[in-house]
Amino acid sequence: MGFPFLVNEHHELLTLNNNDLPIYRDLLPGVHVQPQFLDVVNGVWALRVQFEPGVVLPAHYHTGNVHFWTLSGKWYYKEYPDQPQTAGCYLYEPGSSIHQFITPETNTELTEALMIIQGANINFDDEGNYLGMLDANFIVATLEKHIADSRLEPAKYIRPPQTDYSTK
């Protein structure tokens, strides 16, 4: 049996060297982002993120699953303070998880993470009121605006093609 027939041939690896790419500071307050993969069609986003000490994100509901690797620092969910995540931890979150991300103010270093998320985070305030949605589309729009407003180097990340017809 031979190799399968390929509709899309790959002539080079889709790879990024994060050491050569910028990290966009304060995309959200105290949150520095280096995009890796943003797929607005399928709702998948992969980010390298650095969190300053004392960051508290809104409580959020995940519509899809999350893979979250902690590379340095420490963080925890408000709902699970006895299960802090530190360098070397991997966390899997199934869809329909609800929690609030916190980096302790006592952290002496950035908390750095790599996350792959399917779907969206639906954000809520402390009273449970809807605040907004964070998904691949929001990240692309926010990133592009931040880059344009700050006159920064354009982001380089892996982006699958948009959905289109098979013929025109």
Side-chain angles (χ1 to χ4, degrees), residues 86-104:
T86 57
C89 288
Y90 163 76
L91 175 68
Y92 173 77
E93 302 171 15
S96 300
S97 298
I98 300 174
H99 40 247
Q100 185 172 21
F101 178 96
I102 298 170
T103 56

Side-chain angles (χ1 to χ4, degrees), residues 9-156:
E9 290 188 36
H10 299 277
H11 300 288
E12 63 182 332
L13 294 175
L14 295 171
T15 183
L16 303 171
N17 184 335
N18 288 320
N19 296 321
D20 297 336
L21 299 173
I23 295 176
Y24 298 97
R25 298 190 55 77
D26 293 311
L27 200 59
L28 298 173
V31 180
H32 318 307
V33 175
Q34 190 176 54
Q36 306 293 295
F37 178 91
L38 297 170
D39 183 348
V40 299
V41 173
N42 293 298
V44 178
W45 34 300
L47 304 172
R48 176 183 173 205
V49 183
Q50 296 174 340
F51 300 94
E52 295 285 343
V55 166
V56 178
L57 298 179
H60 55 276
Y61 168 86
H62 286 281
T63 63
N65 63 32
V66 176
H67 300 272
F68 195 113
W69 292 267
T70 303
L71 306 174
S72 68
K74 178 180 178 179
W75 67 274
Y76 62 91
Y77 285 132
K78 178 180 174 184
E79 299 77 10
Y80 307 98
D82 58 334
Q83 292 183 290
Q85 301 296 295
T86 57
C89 288
Y90 163 76
L91 175 68
Y92 173 77
E93 302 171 15
S96 300
S97 298
I98 300 174
H99 40 247
Q100 185 172 21
F101 178 96
I102 298 170
T103 56
E105 290 183 15
T106 57
N107 277 5
T108 59
E109 63 180 330
L110 291 172
T111 296
E112 186 168 357
L114 177 63
M115 58 185 76
I116 301 171
I117 301 175
Q118 295 176 313
N121 291 2
I122 311 299
N123 297 316
F124 298 91
D125 67 16
D126 291 337
E127 287 77 44
N129 298 304
Y130 174 77
L131 291 176
M133 184 173 70
L134 177 68
D135 64 358
N137 186 73
F138 177 87
I139 293 167
V140 169
T142 301
L143 184 64
E144 288 179 1
K145 182 176 183 340
H146 180 75
I147 289 168
D149 290 351
S150 303
R151 296 188 174 114
L152 299 172
E153 179 182 337
K156 179 180 180 181

